[in-house]
Amino acid sequence: MSAEKVTQLSQTKRMFGELSFGPQDVKLYGQYTYGIAGERFFREIKDNGRIMGTRCQKCQLVYLPPRIYCERCFAELKEWVEVEGKGRVHSYTAVHVDLDGNRLNEPILMAIVEFPGIYGGFVHKLGEIEPRDVRIGLKVEVVLKREEEREGSILDIEYFKPGMFD
Amino acid sequence: MALDSCGMTLDGIDCVVMGTAPDAFDMIHMKGENLIDGAGAWRKPYMRGFVGGGTGVFVVDQGWYHVASGLFDTCLVVAEEKMSSCLPHPQGAFITIWDQFTESPLGPSLLWMFAMEMTRYMHVHGITEREIAMVSVKNKKNAMDHPAAQLPAEITVEDVLNSEVMAWPVKRLDVSPSSDGAVALVLAAEPAAKRITDKPVWIEGVGWCLDTFYIGHRDLYYPRYVEYAARQAYEMAGINEPSKEIDIAEPYDPFDYKELHNAEGLLLCGKGEAPKLLADGVTQRTGRQPWCPSGGALGVGNAIAATGTMKVAELFWQLRGEAGKRQVPGKPRRGVAQAWGDELQVGTVIVVGI
């Protein structure tokens, strides 16, 4: 079995397509509800500037983001608790390329933020800090958009910034 | 090639298991169905297995229970990935794999999600980028002897450290390439196997496990789900001390730190100890327990769903003494292969022996 080696794709016959486009340029789109837990979680951020989780009594876990059932024991989770927006950096990276592999002018700082006693946390941006100053364990606090700018999205959280707290 | 190597034709194949990962690469949904003819599954019992990057070993595990259940005498396992069709970069196909409310709006890429795992792993154990870079040097060199290798190279640790930073601490030479590739294996029940070959390689143990979907729900320094999958496979294989009873390991290495991270999950050493084994030469092809003698994803290439299957094929050749220039000395008798993926949440493991 042999195949001629092609080094230039332009030498080949190709079909072009775009994800989420069908024939006749029909754009495929969707709507997807946040669900019961997501609805309340994002409304609390948007309307009250609060981050809420749900507690599983049996497994002694507070889920963040919240869920209406426990993934470990399948209990229904009805108890909502506020999670103070003060956490720590679990891990982080400085992103230098975009999804297409192009260089970014400035690196973007991304982190996983964890909260004491909470099962979960957020993947989110870090702000008001230089890459060289980021470290694991750094205390960070949530920065929300102004209330009138919030839309009920994870991007209502602008970023996490270094925090001063015990 | 797999059929030819054991003197078989499709007539002798009872069922087919197909491994192929994200549909988005090919812009065809349900591509398992699209691939049925090339997989040799026309009018046969057929199924597609898919756990992201973990698929390559998962499909061999699936093929195993098709046969071990007694339902079929033979099973053809085929795994493929074609990433070159996804433009401008196949990374873009992964934008929709995350949680659509809490993660996707941030535009995550696998690259920087993995980078955060690498940062955490380095931090917890005090491991340096320099120590990790040696994996890339080793595997790309091993791949020099692999006939299907995409990125074989003799490079230095300095080359890795000086390569372009993509998402710190991940640099270009820490990462496997985008690849096109395919692998096929023939599995057979014991009586059939003995008719087909006088040098069978036996599947002694299989295991797989998925952790929670959400990245933020676990400590990224250690892949506990890989450990659970490994324990399942080792128990089936009767292995108590994998660090001593395994002759060759093919842990999944889409990034250099992943070989170390996954090897720890496979219990080949204690947590945080993998860099020392690497530095001491233990995991070189001529070492006491070679890791990725094939050249791995870093050297041979990372055709996602096919990579793990490539690793199982490597163990097949190694245990039969047919690995050519890649042959591990000392007549190895037992190997473990592992793949990893989904939302950094799945471990798939197989133990094979002669």
Side-chain angles (χ1 to χ4, degrees), chain B residues 149-171:
Chain B
Q150 180 184 1
L151 280 185
E154 288 203 57
I155 58 168
T156 65
V157 166
E158 299 302 326
D159 291 336
V160 180
L161 296 176
N162 293 328
S163 64
E164 172 192 14
V165 178
M166 302 178 80
W168 186 89
V170 172
K171 300 160 294 297

Side-chain angles (χ1 to χ4, degrees), chain B residues 13-306:
Chain B
I13 295 298
D14 293 343
C15 66
V16 176
V17 172
M18 177 82 210
T20 183
D23 286 325
F25 285 156
D26 305 65
M27 286 169 279
I28 294 175
H29 254 65
M30 300 175 68
K31 73 172 170 169
E33 288 72 5
N34 181 264
L35 292 163
I36 188 166
D37 51 355
W42 179 72
R43 289 186 181 173
K44 290 186 195 297
Y46 174 72
M47 75 175 286
R48 172 191 181 183
F50 178 31
V51 281
T55 302
V57 170
F58 186 59
V59 284
V60 190
D61 290 354
Q62 288 183 309
W64 171 83
Y65 63 66
H66 275 61
V67 173
S69 65
L71 202 55
F72 302 105
D73 279 340
T74 58
C75 176
L76 181 63
V77 175
V78 185
E80 77 86 39
E81 209 66 69
K82 182 173 170 63
M83 300 171 75
S84 61
S85 45
C86 190
L87 299 169
H89 194 285
Q91 276 292 328
F94 292 108
I95 184 68
T96 56
I97 70 173
W98 315 100
D99 182 80
Q100 62 269 62
F101 307 127
T102 59
E103 294 169 346
S104 288
L106 294 155
S109 75
L110 284 175
L111 194 71
W112 62 254
M113 285 291 202
F114 291 2
M116 292 197 288
E117 189 180 67
M118 181 169 166
T119 309
R120 183 76 189 168
Y121 175 58
M122 288 166 54
H123 169 82
V124 168
H125 300 301
I127 296 166
T128 64
E129 291 170 73
R130 178 174 291 276
E131 288 174 283
I132 289 171
M134 287 175 64
V135 174
S136 193
V137 174
K138 169 177 71 72
N139 291 5
K140 286 178 186 296
K141 182 160 191 298
N142 283 348
M144 301 282 284
D145 299 322
H146 198 297
Q150 180 184 1
L151 280 185
E154 288 203 57
I155 58 168
T156 65
V157 166
E158 299 302 326
D159 291 336
V160 180
L161 296 176
N162 293 328
S163 64
E164 172 192 14
V165 178
M166 302 178 80
W168 186 89
V170 172
K171 300 160 294 297
R172 184 167 293 280
L173 290 177
D174 291 313
V175 192
S176 58
S178 303
S179 310
D180 296 355
V183 184
L185 300 171
V186 176
L187 309 187
E190 189 168 339
K194 286 178 174 167
R195 283 196 301 275
I196 294 166
T197 177
D198 54 6
K199 282 206 298 183
V201 173
W202 302 108
I203 296 174
E204 298 183 344
V206 298
W208 63 98
C209 177
L210 276 90
D211 206 331
T212 172
F213 177 80
Y214 296 91
I215 306 292
H217 276 61
R218 53 186 174 270
D219 194 326
L220 296 177
Y221 89 103
Y222 182 70
R224 188 158 311 274
Y225 46 94
V226 172
E227 179 188 324
Y228 289 169
R231 286 188 185 281
Q232 182 189 344
Y234 293 152
E235 188 179 344
M236 194 182 297
I239 292 174
N240 298 312
E241 290 187 86
S243 61
K244 294 180 182 160
E245 296 175 60
I246 297 286
D247 298 324
I248 303 176
E250 282 276 345
Y252 193 51
D253 62 326
F255 289 52
D256 45 11
Y257 83 93
K258 284 307 305 184
E259 175 175 301
L260 308 172
H261 201 242
N262 282 326
E264 291 174 16
L266 287 170
L267 307 172
L268 300 177
C269 59
K271 294 175 186 172
E273 291 175 4
K276 178 154 196 320
L277 294 186
L278 174 68
D280 291 348
V282 172
T283 66
Q284 294 287 338
R285 191 180 282 153
T286 52
R288 178 173 56 75
Q289 187 184 69
W291 294 352
C292 294
S294 63
L298 288 160
V300 180
N302 191 9
I304 310 287

